[in-house]
Structures are given as C-alpha cells and as structure tokens.
Amino acid sequence: MTDSIIKTIEIAAPIARVWDALIDHEKFGAWFQVAIDQPFVVGQTTTGRMTYPGYEHFPWESRTIAIEPMTRFAFEWPATGGDEDAITTGVPEWTLVEFVLEPVAGGTRLTVTESGFDAVPEPRRSNVLRSNDGGWAEQVQNIKRYVEG
C-alpha cells in the first residue's frame, strides 16, 4: 500500500503569488477553508478551526516544519482524515504535508505531497488515505481558483 498522496497542478500565476497564498496564514485559510489563529513559523504549532461547510466544529492544528521561500513549505498534522472520533480523542500519528513550487511556462507547478501513512494503524490508515486523497484533490483546485481568480 502507498505511504503518500501526491497531487500536482499547474497554476497560471507567478511563483510569488502562489507562495503568498501558501505562506500567508490568512490567505491559506481563504482557499483551504480554515481560520488559522497565527502565522506559520518554523518549529511552532499553528491552531485554528475549519470553516469548510459541515466541518466548522473541527479544530486545526499543525506544526510548521519548513519555509523555504518560493520553493517549499511543509507542516505536519494529525492523521485523523476528518474522523470526528480521532479528532476528539487525538491520535499519536502525524503526517507530513509538503508544498513544492516550480516555475513552468505560463505559471507555476504546485506539487502537494502528504506522507507518513505507514505509521498509521489499519483500518484507520485506509480511511485517512482515502479521505485525505479526496481532500487534496479538492484543495489543489481551491488554491488554483484562489490564485488565478
């Protein structure tokens, strides 16, 4: 079974604009549909709550791992997959989410990779992979619409 989810999308905008939508916590929140309480800072935890319809009662928590300007942004978050019981009780496993930017003709290629699922026990692992795979498919479209809009 795979240990990662990878989504790639090309966005008709310069890297600087895509980077700004990733790293500015308020802009990130606009397209990801989350209200984040503080800026992303390497080594620090970021908290907030989801604003995605139907998930407004879910908290947001992440630990910022890397901010490499115009190239890579990475954080870890709990491997809950949107499971309300897992969110309520907490889980020991966290996955790594990385956003990598590359210039392409006419814009920017954004690759989102979430990895570390091999540490999540079954059957939660399959559920988290399925849920997050669908979530990332939607989120790459959301950032494309936000940045190109």
Side-chain angles (χ1 to χ4, degrees), residues 68-102:
E68 300 167 12
M70 307 298 169
T71 306
R72 179 176 171 255
F73 170 52
F75 62 78
E76 295 176 321
W77 63 355
T80 62
D83 179 309
E84 192 158 355
D85 289 338
I87 291 169
T88 302
T89 60
V91 295
E93 306 88 13
W94 288 50
T95 54
L96 177 66
V97 177
E98 297 177 277
F99 300 86
V100 175
L101 305 177
E102 303 168 77

Side-chain angles (χ1 to χ4, degrees), residues 33-105:
Q33 298 186 320
V34 59
I36 297 177
D37 298 330
Q38 58 281 116
F40 297 109
V41 177
V42 173
Q44 294 189 9
T45 298
T46 303
T47 57
R49 63 174 177 72
M50 298 302 299
T51 60
Y52 189 91
Y55 294 88
E56 295 93 340
H57 58 292
F58 284 11
W60 166 276
E61 183 179 13
S62 66
R63 294 187 295 239
T64 303
I65 300 299
I67 298 176
E68 300 167 12
M70 307 298 169
T71 306
R72 179 176 171 255
F73 170 52
F75 62 78
E76 295 176 321
W77 63 355
T80 62
D83 179 309
E84 192 158 355
D85 289 338
I87 291 169
T88 302
T89 60
V91 295
E93 306 88 13
W94 288 50
T95 54
L96 177 66
V97 177
E98 297 177 277
F99 300 86
V100 175
L101 305 177
E102 303 168 77
V104 293

Side-chain angles (χ1 to χ4, degrees), residues 97-131:
V97 177
E98 297 177 277
F99 300 86
V100 175
L101 305 177
E102 303 168 77
V104 293
T108 303
R109 177 178 298 126
L110 171 64
T111 301
V112 182
T113 304
E114 182 174 6
S115 61
F117 294 99
D118 56 350
V120 181
E122 288 291 358
R124 189 161 47 85
R125 178 181 179 189
S126 293
N127 294 335
V128 173
L129 266 166
R130 184 175 37 257
S131 175

